[in-house]
Amino acid sequence: MKIRNIAVIAHVDHGKTTLVDGLLRQSGTLNERRDFGERIMDSNDIEKERGITILSKNTSIRYGEYRINIIDTPGHSDFGGEVERVLKMVDGVLLLVDAQEGVMPQTKFVVKKALSLGLKPIVVVNKIDKPAAEPDRVIDEVFDLFVNLGATDEQLDFPVIYAAARDGYAKYNLSDESTDLGPLFETIVSHVPPPSGSENAPLQMQAFTLDYDNYVGRIAIARIFNGKVKKGQNVLLLRKNGETVNGRITKLIGFEGLERVEIEEAVCGDIVAFAGFDSIEIGDTVADVERPEPLEPLHIEEPTISVYISVNDSPLSGTEGRFVTATKLKDRFIREARTNIAMKFEEIGEGKFKVSGRGELQICILAENLRREGYEFSISRPQVIVKEKDGKHLEPFELLIVDVPDEFVGTVIEKLGKRKAEMVAMTPAGNGRTRIEFEVPSRGLIGYRSEFLTDTRGEGIMNSSFLEYREFKGIPYKRGNGAMVSMADGETAGYALYNLQERGKLFVGPGEKVYAGMVIGEHNRSGDIDVNPVKGKKLTNVRAAGSDDAIKLVPPVEMTLEKALEWIEEDELVEVTPENVRIRKRYLNASERKRMARK
């Protein structure tokens, strides 16, 4: 059987997973009688809820005499580490571009990686059924991007397919009839080169994703670059640090649609899963025992943002979560580090861990997974990772692209200017919208997303991707408003909240548990204010006209994990439990807070 290996790459929400759905359905690989729902490849709960891909996943489909191994990659820049290592495992890429939005920051990031590895892309202009679609403009944008990134003549001679993945059709020309995805299948088999390497050479395969099974232990998903592998075969594991480990392939698994099938043998060019090594890491090579040759290790970009996650020590700790101790947290981070190489974990004291990743979203997803599993912990404000070079402080910068209605352009430019952003381009995007490009310190973007959505009344689109490390840019941006801090323990009373709501926005409603040092709202002015949200009304046996009027409370602002992380300052923490997300001061005692502030 002839093999083709491809990855589907694109900016977030340009339709990668929907296209893979269409390919799976139309190749006849799926069981016709089963209802798989939408975006079949997004298997994780958070992926389904948010409609984004977080982990790269692979599937295999049959098309005539061809077997096409497809890897669906994440589109968000925080998960760039996933995309990077996956591209090493394939021989071609499908680059999806939205027919209306065109080239976006993450498109640039993934194209740069694909071109540097020498891959030849097939450009798929998706969502051509959108009313404001401009496929010709988008192709010009893609061509200009390839030229700017130094593509070779072969890479510039890319085939173009027009598609509407949701409706399940693709075509060579816009004037062709819309029938099925046949033209895309044909283009894949004719334009993606067959795998290099020889079946008769010594075995070489490299792990690019890890999985875990309670029965067989750690499972590695790998590409075979040379030779063939059999179940039960004795092999040598070549670690990145130079160590070698003898072992045996105890289980060999192939991919067939969404199913994993046990197989006896696989050959050069195929993508398989196997068990047999508990110590295997991403990027390690499994080689022939007699003639072992390591493959080049995978390079992963460094994290740019870090947070401190520690054991929850608030007065309400241990009342809502199942796992509350430092040992449980440490075990969980060790497990995460095995499969997530884009994040780094280090213990820095009793029950306190420094977690570093590529962006706020990546850290939020980890925290969300922890709370769903029953963990209880506190998390600090994200900080950028600063580097020292030639005696200079360097900080990460991002390329930010915002697409906003014309009336909000001034507000967005003003707010980003305060956050040390520099505008590099501004173009009309049609339909009364403008697209603006900025280069901004990563620090300046922390806490900006929710403010941006408020300023643009929810109509703005904002995307960023890591640019480079540059010289430090002055004092960081601080929140303008102070916090309303509870000075008492107990349950909130409607009467107290009614009197407090004119002081600012409340984060809590009546009947909620609070404690001294917990932040219950945002003050209208700068500077924190201590308040008593548990004070009830003094009752007397004298009735007076108007004293028993019904109180009217404004609904509290719902603080999600992401909003809370964006909102807090250096002296605050987010307390996360399976049931609640609370904001608190780092030092709960008011006099201790004042003493630390003076220091």
Side-chain angles (χ1 to χ4, degrees):
M1 182 157 267
K2 297 174 181 174
I3 294 173
R4 295 288 184 271
N5 294 318
I6 59 164
V8 186
I9 60 173
H11 182 78
V12 66
D13 207 24
H14 279 196
K16 296 179 295 299
T17 308
T18 308
L19 183 73
V20 176
D21 270 18
L23 293 172
L24 275 165
R25 291 178 201 278
Q26 291 191 24
S27 64
T29 310
L30 295 182
N31 180 339
E32 299 278 327
R33 289 188 288 274
R34 242 180 92 188
D35 176 26
F36 289 94
E38 284 182 23
R39 296 193 314 275
I40 305 166
M41 298 291 281
D42 283 350
S43 51
N44 172 318
D45 283 349
I46 298 179
E47 289 180 324
K48 286 177 180 164
E49 286 165 24
R50 292 171 182 245
I52 59 170
T53 302
I54 294 167
L55 304 166
S56 60
K57 299 177 197 64
N58 45 304
T59 183
S60 170
I61 60 176
R62 289 172 187 266
Y63 179 72
E65 57 178 345
Y66 291 91
R67 177 176 73 204
I68 306 172
N69 290 320
I70 304 175
I71 304 180
D72 179 22
T73 64
H76 200 285
S77 58
D78 285 14
F79 306 106
E82 289 273 330
V83 182
E84 212 168 335
R85 65 173 185 258
V86 156
L87 292 179
K88 278 265 188 93
M89 302 298 141
V90 295
D91 306 301
V93 290
L94 291 187
L95 170 66
L96 255 74
V97 191
D98 186 303
Q100 181 182 335
E101 290 185 0
V103 170
M104 296 295 272
Q106 189 60 9
T107 317
K108 294 181 181 177
F109 175 83
V110 291
V111 168
K112 187 175 166 188
K113 297 289 173 209
L115 295 180
S116 65
L117 291 167
L119 297 171
K120 294 176 200 163
I122 294 169
V123 174
V124 180
V125 180
N126 193 24
K127 305 192 183 185
I128 55 169
D129 53 332
K130 277 187 171 181
E134 295 178 85
D136 295 339
R137 170 184 64 84
V138 169
I139 289 165
D140 291 343
E141 279 182 19
V142 172
F143 189 82
D144 292 346
L145 173 65
F146 279 35
V147 172
N148 292 340
L149 293 174
T152 63
D153 290 348
E154 278 184 307
Q155 287 171 328
L156 285 171
D157 187 20
F158 52 80
V160 176
I161 294 289
Y162 301 95
R166 192 188 58 189
D167 298 333
Y169 65 81
K171 42 194 180 180
Y172 299 110
N173 300 298
L174 286 167
S175 54
D176 294 352
E177 200 182 336
S178 308
T179 49
D180 57 16
L181 292 171
L184 182 56
F185 281 114
E186 289 298 332
T187 309
I188 291 170
V189 298
S190 59
H191 277 80
V192 176
S196 56
S198 162
E199 215 176 291
N200 304 317
L203 172 68
Q204 275 183 310
M205 63 179 179
Q206 190 169 34
F208 66 92
T209 303
L210 296 176
D211 208 341
Y212 195 81
D213 184 285
N214 289 333
Y215 296 105
V216 294
R218 191 179 279 202
I219 293 174
I221 298 170
R223 155 120 188 225
I224 307 169
F225 284 93
N226 271 310
K228 54 173 82 167
V229 63
K230 292 181 178 167
K231 185 180 173 181
Q233 181 178 339
N234 289 323
V235 289
L236 199 62
L237 174 66
L238 309 175
R239 307 285 303 274
K240 285 175 290 195
N241 58 10
E243 283 178 26
T244 58
V245 182
N246 279 302
R248 195 167 70 88
I249 304 286
T250 54
K251 205 178 184 88
L252 192 60
I253 302 161
F255 297 92
E256 191 71 54
L258 301 178
E259 308 294 323
R260 291 186 174 191
V261 199
E262 281 205 47
I263 52 175
E264 293 299 315
E265 177 180 89
V267 296
C268 163
D270 218 342
I271 290 174
V272 293
F274 65 91
F277 292 97
D278 267 348
S279 58
I280 192 166
E281 299 288 346
I282 287 168
D284 289 353
T285 305
V286 171
D288 188 73
V289 177
E290 286 160 17
R291 291 176 289 169
E293 280 185 39
L295 289 157
E296 193 184 325
L298 299 176
H299 163 71
I300 301 298
E301 286 193 352
E302 291 294 301
T304 55
I305 274 187
S306 67
V307 293
Y308 291 100
I309 292 182
S310 48
V311 171
N312 184 16
D313 60 356
S314 86
L316 297 177
S317 69
T319 57
E320 294 169 4
R322 282 191 301 148
F323 307 118
V324 294
T325 61
T327 320
K328 293 285 184 192
L329 264 182
K330 185 178 179 179
D331 290 348
R332 178 64 180 79
F333 288 147
I334 290 170
R335 285 209 311 278
E336 185 72 22
R338 284 177 191 156
T339 55
N340 189 346
I341 58 166
M343 291 187 95
K344 291 192 165 55
F345 304 91
E346 51 185 300
E347 193 171 5
I348 50 156
E350 188 61 41
K352 193 173 184 185
F353 305 87
K354 185 180 181 183
V355 178
S356 310
R358 284 295 299 275
E360 283 175 273
L361 180 65
Q362 195 186 22
I363 286 165
C364 277
I365 298 283
L366 171 69
E368 185 61 44
N369 278 325
L370 287 177
R371 70 176 284 206
R372 288 179 184 210
E373 289 165 24
Y375 288 84
E376 215 177 89
F377 54 94
S378 65
I379 184 167
S380 71
R381 176 183 165 85
Q383 295 175 324
V384 296
I385 296 170
V386 179
K387 288 184 174 179
E388 294 274 340
K389 194 177 179 185
D390 305 329
K392 291 178 181 172
H393 286 296
L394 302 180
E395 65 173 329
F397 270 67
E398 312 221 358
L399 173 69
L400 172 72
I401 296 185
V402 298
D403 194 334
V404 292
D406 296 345
E407 64 205 90
F408 305 125
V409 167
T411 313
V412 170
I413 293 173
E414 184 198 344
K415 289 277 178 80
L416 282 165
K418 288 180 184 171
R419 292 169 177 266
K420 312 278 189 225
E422 281 179 23
M423 187 166 73
V424 290
M426 185 166 163
T427 46
N431 287 350
R433 295 178 76 86
T434 302
R435 179 175 291 185
I436 321 167
E437 290 188 29
F438 295 92
E439 288 178 0
V440 55
S442 300
R443 238 169 356 127
L445 285 181
I446 294 173
Y448 178 59
R449 198 169 294 274
S450 50
E451 197 178 315
F452 171 77
L453 286 172
T454 308
D455 290 344
T456 60
R457 294 188 194 155
E459 289 183 49
I461 301 167
M462 143 180 173
N463 292 287
S464 64
S465 67
F466 174 69
L467 197 59
E468 60 187 356
Y469 269 86
R470 292 186 188 169
E471 211 167 328
F472 208 69
K473 258 203 157 183
I475 311 268
Y477 177 85
K478 274 203 164 347
R479 188 178 75 220
N481 296 23
M484 293 164 74
V485 187
S486 171
M487 53 200 273
D489 298 353
E491 283 193 8
T492 52
Y495 173 74
L497 297 181
Y498 175 68
N499 292 319
L500 289 176
Q501 59 190 9
E502 61 195 34
R503 299 282 187 95
K505 296 180 200 160
L506 292 174
F507 301 157
V508 293
E512 289 188 30
K513 287 180 184 170
V514 292
Y515 50 83
M518 179 173 151
V519 175
I520 63 143
E522 180 178 281
H523 191 199
N524 281 337
R525 303 179 183 182
S526 59
D528 295 345
I529 176 175
D530 288 325
V531 296
N532 184 352
V534 303
K535 186 172 72 175
K537 184 179 179 184
K538 289 277 186 293
L539 297 175
T540 68
N541 55 3
V542 178
R543 286 285 180 97
S547 66
D548 288 332
D549 287 351
I551 58 170
K552 287 185 181 151
L553 289 176
V554 176
V557 176
E558 191 186 340
M559 280 312 234
T560 60
L561 184 52
E562 275 159 85
K563 264 196 194 167
L565 271 183
E566 285 185 353
W567 188 83
I568 60 172
E569 283 294 346
E570 295 294 323
D571 65 333
E572 290 154 352
L573 298 170
V574 180
E575 178 189 341
V576 183
T577 75
E579 291 172 29
N580 286 293
V581 173
R582 302 183 184 96
I583 299 173
R584 51 164 285 191
K585 288 290 181 184
R586 195 180 288 270
Y587 301 102
L588 297 177
N589 184 297
S591 50
E592 194 178 354
R593 279 203 299 279
K594 284 176 185 147
R595 192 167 69 248
M596 296 314 286
R598 280 200 297 274
K599 278 187 184 176

